[in-house]
Amino acid sequence: MPFAIKKAQRINELPPYLFAEIDRRKRAVQARGVDLIDLGVGDPDIPTPAKIVEKLMEAASRPVNHRYPSSAGLLEFRQAVADWYQRRFAVKLDPVTEVVSLIGSKEGIANMALGFVDPGDIVLVASPCYPVYHIGTSFCGGKNYFLPLTMANRFLPDLDAIPAEVARQAKMLWINYPNNPTAAVAEKNFFARVVEFASRHNIIVCHDAAYTEMGFDGYRPMSFLEVDGAREVGIEFHSLSKTFNMTGWRIGMAVGNPDLVAGLAQVKSNVDSGIFQAVQEAAIEALRLGDQIIEPSRKIYQERRDILVSGLHGAGFDCERPRATFYVWVAVPKGLTSAQCTTKLLDEAGIVTTPGNGFGEAGEGYVRFTVCVDKERLKEVTDRIRQVRF
Ligand SMILES: *Cc1c(COP(=O)(O)O)cnc(C)c1O
């Protein structure tokens, strides 16, 4: 008998990884010599601010930082997170019991299910969404119940539409505002409804707040924890990745309810050994400098947003001008599917975008653009799109 390797069922059941297929098609077009413009992945092209890099270099040279870090994170890092939450959101956090460091928020989001979801448990999750929420659930044998985000509900899940039996059985709810991929934002009354719903049905709320610092025209998105009662039911995931152009550094945090923080920390202490301390020191510096280093990137993204949105409108596309995030969620022209629209943009204009249905069935009919290229390239994008016959 030949040696046989059989993957675990949880891997076999995974949906095909969206970006792998896009990558394959991208390479095929590139091979024809086309000058591709990639508005596919949400990864800042702007470098990490120099002051953060300098701090890393200095901290990396100190031997005390060469040993195993603690899995919960340096107390100084957790204190810096608490100070930042106080300054930015007027939310008071105990750095010891209400903050845990993460190796990027993706890690914590995926591990959250290991701490709180048993086989058969129902998890409420938006469609479309950042895929890690429902993949974490599936890995633990939980069942995802999808809440469609549509133009009609302003891309906020309709909690009243959840059947009573589902709400009764649900263990956890994932929300994410400002939102990836729709760029929608939520106001206090939505978060208050979430707290009321979650308290009534005993549902853990996980809020992914990755984009709170990327608000435009003076808009400053709020933390879920600013709402009364949020700390009783919820945990918030945050990250330095998008805020400080630090996606490669892998550092984030989860904050909020002490029992939720402790459960997540317990999972982590069994599977990882924390974040390189020099990276934590650099992150402390980033949080300390805050707006001083965030504001320049906000300006850049806002200007790019305006170029792209105006260009799309000029070419007859239907989309809103986002108040936050570096995404633009665009309705596809009538008669096309999301996949057909992205294929047309790639083949006829050399522009890479992401089909909305890749983020969930309810994303069909949309395409996601990012603004992670400079403004000259974005002007080129709008010129090229005008040439395409839809
Ligand atoms: C980018 C992104 C993350 C992951 O950020 P990391 O901290 O780099 O892991 C989490 N959630 C959403 C919605 C994102 O877009």
Side-chain angles (χ1 to χ4, degrees), residues 207-259:
H207 181 233
D208 180 353
Y211 294 96
T212 61
E213 301 320 290
M214 212 176 280
F216 307 126
D217 313 310
Y219 171 60
R220 306 303 302 276
M222 65 187 292
S223 159
F224 175 65
L225 296 175
E226 287 180 56
V227 176
D228 287 341
R231 202 183 309 228
E232 277 68 62
V233 299
I235 185 167
E236 183 159 271
F237 292 82
H238 217 305
S239 165
L240 281 82
S241 287
K242 314 292 164 59
T243 305
F244 298 102
N245 304 317
M246 289 172 73
T247 47
W249 296 56
R250 311 316 301 138
I251 183 161
M253 61 274 199
V255 305
N257 183 285
D259 294 327

Short mmCIF file of all heavy atoms in Angstrom, two decimals, residues 207-259:
data_model
loop_
_atom_site.label_atom_id
_atom_site.label_comp_id
_atom_site.label_asym_id
_atom_site.label_seq_id
_atom_site.Cartn_x
_atom_site.Cartn_y
_atom_site.Cartn_z
N HIS A 207 -16.49 42.36 18.59
CA HIS A 207 -16.44 43.47 17.64
C HIS A 207 -15.04 43.61 17.08
O HIS A 207 -14.08 43.75 17.84
CB HIS A 207 -16.87 44.79 18.29
CG HIS A 207 -16.84 45.93 17.31
ND1 HIS A 207 -16.16 47.11 17.54
CD2 HIS A 207 -17.38 46.05 16.07
CE1 HIS A 207 -16.30 47.90 16.48
NE2 HIS A 207 -17.04 47.28 15.58
N ASP A 208 -14.92 43.58 15.77
CA ASP A 208 -13.64 43.78 15.10
C ASP A 208 -13.53 45.25 14.73
O ASP A 208 -14.26 45.74 13.86
CB ASP A 208 -13.58 42.87 13.86
CG ASP A 208 -12.28 43.00 13.10
OD1 ASP A 208 -11.46 43.88 13.43
OD2 ASP A 208 -12.07 42.21 12.16
N ALA A 209 -12.63 45.96 15.41
CA ALA A 209 -12.54 47.42 15.27
C ALA A 209 -11.30 47.85 14.48
O ALA A 209 -10.80 48.96 14.67
CB ALA A 209 -12.54 48.05 16.66
N ALA A 210 -10.86 47.00 13.56
CA ALA A 210 -9.59 47.25 12.85
C ALA A 210 -9.50 48.61 12.16
O ALA A 210 -8.40 49.13 11.95
CB ALA A 210 -9.35 46.14 11.83
N TYR A 211 -10.66 49.20 11.80
CA TYR A 211 -10.63 50.42 11.00
C TYR A 211 -11.09 51.69 11.71
O TYR A 211 -11.37 52.69 11.06
CB TYR A 211 -11.45 50.22 9.71
CG TYR A 211 -10.84 49.18 8.81
CD1 TYR A 211 -11.26 47.86 8.83
CD2 TYR A 211 -9.78 49.52 7.96
CE1 TYR A 211 -10.67 46.90 8.04
CE2 TYR A 211 -9.19 48.56 7.16
CZ TYR A 211 -9.64 47.25 7.20
OH TYR A 211 -9.04 46.31 6.41
N THR A 212 -11.13 51.68 13.05
CA THR A 212 -11.64 52.89 13.73
C THR A 212 -10.79 54.14 13.46
O THR A 212 -11.28 55.25 13.56
CB THR A 212 -11.71 52.74 15.27
OG1 THR A 212 -10.39 52.49 15.76
CG2 THR A 212 -12.67 51.64 15.69
N GLU A 213 -9.51 53.95 13.14
CA GLU A 213 -8.64 55.13 12.94
C GLU A 213 -8.64 55.61 11.50
O GLU A 213 -7.97 56.59 11.18
CB GLU A 213 -7.23 54.84 13.42
CG GLU A 213 -7.17 54.46 14.89
CD GLU A 213 -8.12 55.29 15.75
OE1 GLU A 213 -7.86 56.49 15.93
OE2 GLU A 213 -9.13 54.74 16.24
N MET A 214 -9.35 54.90 10.64
CA MET A 214 -9.35 55.30 9.25
C MET A 214 -10.69 55.93 8.88
O MET A 214 -11.44 55.41 8.06
CB MET A 214 -9.05 54.08 8.38
CG MET A 214 -8.29 54.45 7.13
SD MET A 214 -7.86 52.96 6.24
CE MET A 214 -6.45 52.45 7.18
N GLY A 215 -11.00 57.05 9.53
CA GLY A 215 -12.22 57.79 9.26
C GLY A 215 -11.87 59.07 8.52
O GLY A 215 -10.79 59.63 8.72
N PHE A 216 -12.78 59.53 7.64
CA PHE A 216 -12.47 60.68 6.78
C PHE A 216 -13.38 61.87 7.07
O PHE A 216 -14.43 61.73 7.70
CB PHE A 216 -12.59 60.28 5.32
CG PHE A 216 -11.77 59.06 4.99
CD1 PHE A 216 -12.35 57.95 4.39
CD2 PHE A 216 -10.42 59.01 5.31
CE1 PHE A 216 -11.60 56.82 4.11
CE2 PHE A 216 -9.66 57.88 5.03
CZ PHE A 216 -10.25 56.78 4.43
N ASP A 217 -13.00 63.03 6.53
CA ASP A 217 -13.78 64.26 6.65
C ASP A 217 -14.07 64.57 8.13
O ASP A 217 -15.14 65.04 8.48
CB ASP A 217 -15.11 64.14 5.88
CG ASP A 217 -14.92 63.59 4.47
OD1 ASP A 217 -14.05 64.13 3.75
OD2 ASP A 217 -15.62 62.62 4.10
N GLY A 218 -13.10 64.26 8.99
CA GLY A 218 -13.27 64.56 10.42
C GLY A 218 -14.07 63.52 11.18
O GLY A 218 -14.23 63.62 12.40
N TYR A 219 -14.58 62.49 10.51
CA TYR A 219 -15.38 61.47 11.19
C TYR A 219 -14.47 60.56 12.02
O TYR A 219 -13.48 60.04 11.51
CB TYR A 219 -16.15 60.66 10.14
CG TYR A 219 -16.86 59.44 10.69
CD1 TYR A 219 -17.84 59.58 11.68
CD2 TYR A 219 -16.56 58.17 10.22
CE1 TYR A 219 -18.49 58.47 12.18
CE2 TYR A 219 -17.22 57.05 10.72
CZ TYR A 219 -18.17 57.21 11.70
OH TYR A 219 -18.82 56.10 12.20
N ARG A 220 -14.81 60.36 13.30
CA ARG A 220 -14.02 59.48 14.16
C ARG A 220 -14.89 58.32 14.65
O ARG A 220 -15.70 58.49 15.57
CB ARG A 220 -13.48 60.25 15.39
CG ARG A 220 -12.68 61.50 15.06
CD ARG A 220 -11.49 61.27 14.15
NE ARG A 220 -10.50 60.33 14.64
CZ ARG A 220 -9.52 60.63 15.47
NH1 ARG A 220 -9.39 61.84 15.94
NH2 ARG A 220 -8.65 59.72 15.85
N PRO A 221 -14.77 57.15 14.02
CA PRO A 221 -15.58 55.99 14.42
C PRO A 221 -15.39 55.65 15.90
O PRO A 221 -14.33 55.89 16.47
CB PRO A 221 -15.04 54.87 13.53
CG PRO A 221 -14.46 55.57 12.35
CD PRO A 221 -13.88 56.84 12.89
N MET A 222 -16.43 55.09 16.52
CA MET A 222 -16.37 54.83 17.95
C MET A 222 -15.97 53.38 18.24
O MET A 222 -15.97 52.52 17.37
CB MET A 222 -17.71 55.14 18.60
CG MET A 222 -18.85 54.27 18.14
SD MET A 222 -20.44 54.87 18.82
CE MET A 222 -20.22 54.54 20.56
N SER A 223 -15.62 53.16 19.51
CA SER A 223 -15.38 51.80 20.00
C SER A 223 -16.70 51.23 20.48
O SER A 223 -17.53 51.94 21.06
CB SER A 223 -14.38 51.86 21.16
OG SER A 223 -14.48 50.70 21.96
N PHE A 224 -16.90 49.92 20.28
CA PHE A 224 -18.09 49.24 20.80
C PHE A 224 -18.18 49.41 22.32
O PHE A 224 -19.27 49.52 22.89
CB PHE A 224 -18.00 47.75 20.42
CG PHE A 224 -19.09 46.89 20.99
CD1 PHE A 224 -20.41 47.08 20.60
CD2 PHE A 224 -18.80 45.89 21.91
CE1 PHE A 224 -21.42 46.28 21.12
CE2 PHE A 224 -19.81 45.08 22.43
CZ PHE A 224 -21.12 45.28 22.04
N LEU A 225 -17.01 49.48 22.97
CA LEU A 225 -16.98 49.54 24.44
C LEU A 225 -17.43 50.89 24.99
O LEU A 225 -17.58 51.05 26.19
CB LEU A 225 -15.58 49.20 24.95
CG LEU A 225 -15.10 47.78 24.65
CD1 LEU A 225 -13.66 47.59 25.09
CD2 LEU A 225 -15.99 46.74 25.32
N GLU A 226 -17.65 51.87 24.11
CA GLU A 226 -18.18 53.16 24.58
C GLU A 226 -19.65 53.05 24.98
O GLU A 226 -20.18 53.94 25.65
CB GLU A 226 -18.05 54.21 23.46
CG GLU A 226 -16.63 54.68 23.23
CD GLU A 226 -16.58 55.73 22.12
OE1 GLU A 226 -17.27 56.75 22.21
OE2 GLU A 226 -15.83 55.49 21.14
N VAL A 227 -20.30 51.97 24.54
CA VAL A 227 -21.74 51.84 24.79
C VAL A 227 -21.99 51.18 26.15
O VAL A 227 -21.29 50.23 26.52
CB VAL A 227 -22.38 50.99 23.67
CG1 VAL A 227 -23.85 50.74 23.94
CG2 VAL A 227 -22.20 51.69 22.34
N ASP A 228 -22.97 51.68 26.88
CA ASP A 228 -23.33 51.11 28.19
C ASP A 228 -23.63 49.62 28.06
O ASP A 228 -24.38 49.23 27.16
CB ASP A 228 -24.58 51.79 28.76
CG ASP A 228 -24.27 53.20 29.25
OD1 ASP A 228 -23.08 53.50 29.48
OD2 ASP A 228 -25.22 54.00 29.38
N GLY A 229 -23.05 48.83 28.93
CA GLY A 229 -23.36 47.40 28.96
C GLY A 229 -22.50 46.57 28.02
O GLY A 229 -22.52 45.34 28.07
N ALA A 230 -21.71 47.23 27.14
CA ALA A 230 -20.91 46.48 26.16
C ALA A 230 -19.89 45.58 26.86
O ALA A 230 -19.65 44.44 26.43
CB ALA A 230 -20.21 47.44 25.21
N ARG A 231 -19.32 46.07 27.94
CA ARG A 231 -18.28 45.29 28.61
C ARG A 231 -18.83 44.03 29.28
O ARG A 231 -18.11 43.08 29.50
CB ARG A 231 -17.57 46.16 29.65
CG ARG A 231 -16.20 45.66 30.03
CD ARG A 231 -15.59 46.52 31.10
NE ARG A 231 -15.65 47.93 30.72
CZ ARG A 231 -14.63 48.78 30.80
NH1 ARG A 231 -13.48 48.34 31.23
NH2 ARG A 231 -14.77 50.03 30.46
N GLU A 232 -20.13 44.02 29.58
CA GLU A 232 -20.73 42.82 30.18
C GLU A 232 -20.83 41.70 29.15
O GLU A 232 -20.78 40.53 29.48
CB GLU A 232 -22.14 43.13 30.72
CG GLU A 232 -22.16 43.75 32.12
CD GLU A 232 -21.57 45.15 32.14
OE1 GLU A 232 -22.11 46.04 31.47
OE2 GLU A 232 -20.53 45.34 32.81
N VAL A 233 -20.99 42.06 27.87
CA VAL A 233 -21.26 41.04 26.85
C VAL A 233 -20.15 40.87 25.82
O VAL A 233 -20.18 39.91 25.04
CB VAL A 233 -22.57 41.35 26.07
CG1 VAL A 233 -23.77 41.38 27.02
CG2 VAL A 233 -22.47 42.68 25.31
N GLY A 234 -19.17 41.81 25.82
CA GLY A 234 -18.34 41.80 24.62
C GLY A 234 -16.83 41.96 24.78
O GLY A 234 -16.29 42.30 25.83
N ILE A 235 -16.19 41.70 23.65
CA ILE A 235 -14.74 41.85 23.52
C ILE A 235 -14.50 42.56 22.19
O ILE A 235 -15.25 42.37 21.23
CB ILE A 235 -14.04 40.47 23.58
CG1 ILE A 235 -12.51 40.59 23.58
CG2 ILE A 235 -14.51 39.55 22.44
CD1 ILE A 235 -11.80 39.28 23.96
N GLU A 236 -13.48 43.42 22.15
CA GLU A 236 -13.19 44.16 20.92
C GLU A 236 -11.79 43.80 20.43
O GLU A 236 -10.84 43.80 21.22
CB GLU A 236 -13.30 45.67 21.19
CG GLU A 236 -13.09 46.52 19.97
CD GLU A 236 -13.70 47.91 20.15
OE1 GLU A 236 -14.89 48.08 19.83
OE2 GLU A 236 -12.99 48.82 20.65
N PHE A 237 -11.70 43.50 19.14
CA PHE A 237 -10.41 43.19 18.53
C PHE A 237 -9.90 44.42 17.83
O PHE A 237 -10.64 45.09 17.10
CB PHE A 237 -10.58 42.03 17.54
CG PHE A 237 -10.90 40.75 18.24
CD1 PHE A 237 -12.20 40.46 18.63
CD2 PHE A 237 -9.90 39.86 18.58
CE1 PHE A 237 -12.50 39.30 19.32
CE2 PHE A 237 -10.18 38.69 19.28
CZ PHE A 237 -11.49 38.42 19.65
N HIS A 238 -8.64 44.74 18.05
CA HIS A 238 -8.06 45.91 17.40
C HIS A 238 -6.66 45.55 16.93
O HIS A 238 -6.14 44.49 17.29
CB HIS A 238 -8.05 47.10 18.34
CG HIS A 238 -8.32 48.40 17.63
ND1 HIS A 238 -7.58 48.81 16.56
CD2 HIS A 238 -9.25 49.36 17.84
CE1 HIS A 238 -8.05 49.97 16.13
NE2 HIS A 238 -9.07 50.34 16.88
N SER A 239 -6.09 46.43 16.15
CA SER A 239 -4.85 46.06 15.50
C SER A 239 -4.06 47.30 15.15
O SER A 239 -4.62 48.35 14.89
CB SER A 239 -5.22 45.31 14.22
OG SER A 239 -4.11 45.21 13.38
N LEU A 240 -2.74 47.17 15.14
CA LEU A 240 -1.93 48.31 14.71
C LEU A 240 -1.72 48.27 13.20
O LEU A 240 -1.17 49.20 12.62
CB LEU A 240 -0.58 48.31 15.44
CG LEU A 240 -0.68 48.88 16.88
CD1 LEU A 240 -1.16 47.84 17.86
CD2 LEU A 240 0.63 49.50 17.32
N SER A 241 -2.16 47.17 12.56
CA SER A 241 -1.87 46.93 11.15
C SER A 241 -2.31 48.06 10.23
O SER A 241 -1.52 48.60 9.46
CB SER A 241 -2.57 45.65 10.68
OG SER A 241 -1.92 44.53 11.21
N LYS A 242 -3.59 48.38 10.24
CA LYS A 242 -4.13 49.36 9.31
C LYS A 242 -3.88 50.77 9.84
O LYS A 242 -3.56 51.68 9.09
CB LYS A 242 -5.63 49.11 9.09
CG LYS A 242 -6.01 47.63 8.85
CD LYS A 242 -5.51 47.07 7.53
CE LYS A 242 -5.54 45.55 7.44
NZ LYS A 242 -6.80 44.87 7.60
N THR A 243 -4.01 50.92 11.17
CA THR A 243 -3.84 52.23 11.80
C THR A 243 -2.46 52.85 11.53
O THR A 243 -2.36 54.03 11.23
CB THR A 243 -4.02 52.09 13.32
OG1 THR A 243 -5.29 51.48 13.57
CG2 THR A 243 -3.97 53.43 14.01
N PHE A 244 -1.41 52.03 11.68
CA PHE A 244 -0.05 52.57 11.58
C PHE A 244 0.72 52.00 10.38
O PHE A 244 1.94 52.04 10.37
CB PHE A 244 0.72 52.27 12.88
CG PHE A 244 0.11 52.92 14.10
CD1 PHE A 244 -0.65 52.19 15.00
CD2 PHE A 244 0.29 54.29 14.34
CE1 PHE A 244 -1.21 52.79 16.13
CE2 PHE A 244 -0.27 54.90 15.47
CZ PHE A 244 -1.02 54.15 16.35
N ASN A 245 0.01 51.45 9.41
CA ASN A 245 0.67 50.82 8.26
C ASN A 245 1.71 49.80 8.73
O ASN A 245 2.88 49.86 8.38
CB ASN A 245 1.34 51.89 7.37
CG ASN A 245 0.34 52.94 6.91
OD1 ASN A 245 -0.78 52.61 6.52
ND2 ASN A 245 0.71 54.19 6.99
N MET A 246 1.25 48.85 9.56
CA MET A 246 2.15 47.87 10.17
C MET A 246 1.66 46.44 9.93
O MET A 246 1.83 45.58 10.80
CB MET A 246 2.26 48.12 11.69
CG MET A 246 3.05 49.37 12.05
SD MET A 246 2.96 49.74 13.82
CE MET A 246 4.03 48.46 14.50
N THR A 247 1.07 46.17 8.75
CA THR A 247 0.51 44.82 8.56
C THR A 247 1.56 43.72 8.70
O THR A 247 1.25 42.64 9.16
CB THR A 247 -0.19 44.69 7.19
OG1 THR A 247 0.67 45.22 6.19
CG2 THR A 247 -1.50 45.45 7.15
N GLY A 248 2.79 44.01 8.29
CA GLY A 248 3.82 42.97 8.35
C GLY A 248 4.35 42.70 9.75
O GLY A 248 5.03 41.70 9.97
N TRP A 249 4.06 43.57 10.69
CA TRP A 249 4.68 43.47 12.02
C TRP A 249 3.99 42.45 12.91
O TRP A 249 4.59 41.95 13.84
CB TRP A 249 4.65 44.83 12.71
CG TRP A 249 5.45 45.90 12.04
CD1 TRP A 249 5.34 46.32 10.75
CD2 TRP A 249 6.48 46.68 12.64
NE1 TRP A 249 6.23 47.35 10.51
CE2 TRP A 249 6.94 47.58 11.67
CE3 TRP A 249 7.04 46.73 13.91
CZ2 TRP A 249 7.94 48.50 11.92
CZ3 TRP A 249 8.03 47.65 14.18
CH2 TRP A 249 8.48 48.52 13.17
N ARG A 250 2.74 42.20 12.68
CA ARG A 250 1.93 41.24 13.44
C ARG A 250 1.78 41.63 14.90
O ARG A 250 2.33 40.99 15.81
CB ARG A 250 2.47 39.81 13.31
CG ARG A 250 2.78 39.31 11.92
CD ARG A 250 1.71 39.65 10.90
NE ARG A 250 0.40 39.12 11.23
CZ ARG A 250 -0.73 39.84 11.07
NH1 ARG A 250 -0.72 41.08 10.62
NH2 ARG A 250 -1.87 39.29 11.37
N ILE A 251 1.02 42.68 15.14
CA ILE A 251 0.67 43.02 16.52
C ILE A 251 -0.72 43.65 16.58
O ILE A 251 -1.07 44.50 15.76
CB ILE A 251 1.76 43.91 17.21
CG1 ILE A 251 1.38 44.16 18.68
CG2 ILE A 251 2.01 45.21 16.45
CD1 ILE A 251 2.54 44.60 19.55
N GLY A 252 -1.50 43.16 17.52
CA GLY A 252 -2.85 43.66 17.74
C GLY A 252 -3.24 43.41 19.18
O GLY A 252 -2.39 43.05 20.02
N MET A 253 -4.51 43.61 19.50
CA MET A 253 -4.94 43.40 20.88
C MET A 253 -6.43 43.10 20.94
O MET A 253 -7.18 43.45 20.02
CB MET A 253 -4.63 44.64 21.75
CG MET A 253 -5.31 45.92 21.31
SD MET A 253 -4.31 46.81 20.04
CE MET A 253 -5.01 48.47 20.17
N ALA A 254 -6.82 42.40 22.03
CA ALA A 254 -8.25 42.22 22.31
C ALA A 254 -8.49 42.83 23.68
O ALA A 254 -7.66 42.67 24.59
CB ALA A 254 -8.61 40.75 22.29
N VAL A 255 -9.60 43.55 23.81
CA VAL A 255 -9.88 44.27 25.06
C VAL A 255 -11.36 44.11 25.40
O VAL A 255 -12.19 43.90 24.53
CB VAL A 255 -9.54 45.78 24.94
CG1 VAL A 255 -8.10 45.98 24.51
CG2 VAL A 255 -10.47 46.50 23.97
N GLY A 256 -11.66 44.21 26.69
CA GLY A 256 -13.07 44.19 27.10
C GLY A 256 -13.32 43.25 28.25
O GLY A 256 -12.50 43.16 29.18
N ASN A 257 -14.44 42.53 28.18
CA ASN A 257 -14.88 41.67 29.28
C ASN A 257 -13.75 40.77 29.80
O ASN A 257 -13.15 40.00 29.04
CB ASN A 257 -16.05 40.80 28.81
CG ASN A 257 -16.58 39.94 29.92
OD1 ASN A 257 -15.96 38.95 30.30
ND2 ASN A 257 -17.72 40.33 30.46
N PRO A 258 -13.44 40.84 31.11
CA PRO A 258 -12.31 40.09 31.67
C PRO A 258 -12.41 38.57 31.48
O PRO A 258 -11.39 37.92 31.27
CB PRO A 258 -12.34 40.44 33.16
CG PRO A 258 -13.23 41.60 33.32
CD PRO A 258 -14.12 41.69 32.12
N ASP A 259 -13.62 38.01 31.52
CA ASP A 259 -13.74 36.56 31.33
C ASP A 259 -13.46 36.17 29.88
O ASP A 259 -12.88 35.11 29.61
CB ASP A 259 -15.14 36.07 31.73
CG ASP A 259 -15.39 36.24 33.23
OD1 ASP A 259 -14.41 36.12 34.00
OD2 ASP A 259 -16.54 36.54 33.61
#
